[in-house]
Amino acid sequence: MAAGRRSLLPLLLRWGPGAQGLGPGAPGLGAAPRRHRHKEKWAATAPRIPATRLALHHFDTNYSLQLRERWPAVRASLLCEQKYGALVNNFACADHVAQELELHNATDFVSEAAKKAQSLLQGSAVEAEKGESTSQEGPGGGRTVTQAGTSPLLPAPISSNIKCYTFPRGDITRFCPAWPDALGLLSYYLMDAASLLPVLALNVQPDDFVLDLCAAPGGKTLALLQTGACGHLAANDVSISRTKRLYQILNSYVPKNVRETVSVTSYDGRDWAELEGGTFHKVLVDVPCTTDRHSVMETDNNIFHRRRTKERQMLPMLQLQLLMAGILATKPGGDVVYSTCSLSPLQNEYVIERAIEIAETQFNITTHAEDLSHFRTLFQDTFSFSSDCRLGELVLPHLTANFGPMYFCKLRRA
């Protein structure tokens, strides 16, 4: 195990499963039960419960307490067909793609949000002019000043070349498969449209050095390239098989001259700070998680399989280690966006809070979570957001807008 990880482990042990290190014979826990002479053949006698059912039972137990009256609707959405967005490939020679999608009643939700941001900013400027502090003479010749009311947080402008089309709320139309252009590049990439929000939150600027720490299968990496702003993009994933999928995405959507600017690696992301610490302006940490929608719908590669119980219990520790590596890989003044496709606070806000604490106390690095509430204002026509996140934003699946779940939070390194 790398030295950098070793120093973190004592601080992270609280994230382990249950009472870690406390065996059945530990003090205060009573005597250990006597072992039977012959083990029962559980594989032959115990009923095999599908991983999807185990996942749903786990979510019913936990998310019903977290989401309360909203859980039945979210639960139903998780069990229904997911909606997709069509991320337009700016590298493809297919100028008619947007027109084709619009003919089918799809709209570019990113450009719509940008228009809304511009409108809100202009409206706020007008209100500021009307409500500027007015002064009038008081009874004694003095001046009485009336301040304008405090305006709500203004949305940041969306300055992105990303174009992603979605069908309106309640419209469950499916997109047709993408078609290749004359050079063989596919016209658009189908993905959960909520997956673009972490990329938009990262707000890549021209010539930024960008790291996608857990890049496979490649949707967010492709979205980062669509910005046209990456001075250099490092796309890493520990899984060699998943990295092959990332290569396939790049080969299908990105021309060779652009692919050559992308560095694809298969390192353990937890060790990245030791490889290139303090190097990047922007870091995306889209961590492995319980992938809630997949877990209730698909048996293959389901983390709720009984043989993966410990792996699942250790997820928050892994997520914390990856986020810490992302923070350490960022330049002072740089940004880290952390994201999951889980509803679990243990994998979301709690990981953020613990990372901020460890960065400060163990590495003398000050980080703070940015306010992303303007995303709710800008994208409320497309997504359903939770209003209960202490840090970051959470997209909730909804039957009329069945995207997500997607949690994302932006940290600024001082």
Side-chain angles (χ1 to χ4, degrees):
M1 183 177 289
R5 287 215 304 280
R6 210 163 37 236
S7 62
L8 288 176
L9 285 178
L11 300 160
L12 309 183
L13 285 177
R14 73 179 62 178
W15 290 90
Q20 219 179 50
L22 296 180
L29 295 182
R34 179 176 297 178
R35 290 176 178 267
H36 292 289
R37 184 172 182 179
H38 300 290
K39 293 183 180 179
E40 297 183 33
K41 296 182 180 179
W42 288 102
T45 60
R48 294 184 178 180
I49 303 175
T52 51
R53 191 183 302 176
L54 290 173
L56 192 58
H57 175 73
H58 177 86
F59 296 156
D60 281 336
T61 302
N62 292 278
Y63 295 160
S64 60
L65 298 175
Q66 173 192 343
L67 298 174
R68 301 180 185 276
E69 67 277 1
R70 288 172 297 174
W71 170 236
V74 172
R75 184 186 196 272
S77 303
L78 286 174
L79 293 170
C80 288
E81 184 176 351
Q82 179 180 15
K83 285 190 74 169
Y84 286 89
L87 173 65
V88 175
N89 185 14
N90 295 326
F91 301 114
C93 302
D95 297 333
H96 60 286
V97 172
Q99 292 88 339
E100 287 280 345
L101 294 172
E102 288 167 6
L103 281 175
H104 290 85
N105 202 31
T107 56
D108 177 8
F109 78 88
V110 180
S111 68
E112 290 299 313
K115 293 174 187 175
K116 182 185 287 190
Q118 188 64 29
S119 174
L120 290 171
L121 289 169
Q122 290 174 349
S124 177
V126 171
E127 288 298 320
E129 288 178 7
K130 290 180 179 179
E132 278 181 349
S133 300
T134 56
S135 59
Q136 58 185 24
E137 225 174 84
R143 302 183 71 81
T144 303
V145 179
T146 305
Q147 296 290 341
T150 304
S151 61
L153 180 69
L154 292 176
I158 301 293
S159 55
S160 171
N161 293 322
I162 293 176
K163 295 184 283 292
C164 186
Y165 282 79
T166 58
F167 291 109
R169 279 179 174 263
D171 187 338
I172 58 174
T173 304
R174 297 180 182 179
F175 287 99
C176 297
W179 59 89
D181 67 358
L183 299 177
L185 299 178
L186 294 176
S187 51
Y188 54 76
Y189 179 76
L190 296 181
M191 64 190 301
D192 185 337
S195 296
L196 284 182
L197 297 179
V199 176
L200 293 172
L202 200 58
N203 193 24
V204 178
Q205 297 299 304
D207 299 323
D208 274 350
F209 275 45
V210 183
L211 169 62
D212 189 352
L213 192 60
C214 308
K220 294 183 180 67
T221 303
L222 181 61
L224 287 167
L225 289 172
Q226 299 302 318
T227 66
C230 299
H232 172 71
L233 175 60
N236 177 75
D237 199 277
V238 68
S239 169
I240 294 176
S241 62
R242 284 166 58 85
T243 303
K244 290 180 181 177
R245 173 62 177 154
L246 173 58
Y247 275 116
Q248 291 173 355
I249 295 295
L250 294 176
N251 289 331
S252 298
Y253 289 88
V254 182
K256 184 178 180 182
N257 63 311
V258 178
R259 290 200 305 268
E260 290 173 347
T261 68
V262 182
S263 171
V264 179
T265 56
S266 293
Y267 297 120
D268 187 330
R270 294 171 291 182
D271 298 331
W272 195 272
E274 298 171 20
L275 300 169
E276 294 185 75
T279 305
F280 297 92
H281 301 96
K282 304 287 169 64
V283 177
L284 177 61
V285 187
D286 184 47
V287 294
C289 65
T290 48
T291 53
D292 293 358
R293 186 183 290 275
H294 176 88
S295 292
V296 299
M297 294 293 285
E298 303 290 340
T299 301
D300 291 343
N301 196 31
N302 193 313
I303 199 164
F304 281 86
H305 277 297
R306 290 194 181 277
R307 65 178 180 272
R308 300 183 68 183
T309 298
K310 186 170 183 180
E311 178 188 352
R312 187 178 76 250
Q313 292 171 334
M314 296 296 288
L315 272 176
M317 180 183 284
L318 172 62
Q319 293 161 342
L320 179 55
Q321 290 171 327
L322 288 168
L323 179 53
M324 285 305 306
I327 291 172
L328 295 174
T330 308
K331 289 175 175 284
D335 296 321
V336 180
V337 170
Y338 173 87
S339 62
T340 77
C341 48
S342 172
L343 297 166
S344 169
L346 288 175
Q347 300 175 64
N348 297 338
E349 298 103 304
Y350 290 161
V351 172
I352 295 291
E353 290 170 339
R354 188 74 176 121
I356 292 173
E357 177 187 346
I358 290 176
E360 180 72 41
T361 58
Q362 299 300 316
F363 297 94
N364 199 29
I365 295 175
T366 300
T367 59
H368 69 272
E370 298 274 297
D371 186 347
L372 298 177
S373 58
H374 61 279
F375 271 69
R376 271 180 274 161
T377 303
L378 296 179
F379 297 105
Q380 62 185 350
D381 294 336
T382 306
F383 306 107
S384 296
F385 288 89
S386 169
S387 57
D388 298 332
C389 278
R390 298 188 307 277
L391 298 168
E393 295 295 329
L394 175 63
V395 174
L396 297 175
H398 191 277
L399 287 174
T400 62
N402 206 1
F403 302 104
M406 178 57 58
Y407 173 81
F408 58 104
C409 182
K410 185 175 184 177
L411 297 178
R412 171 67 56 87
R413 176 174 173 172

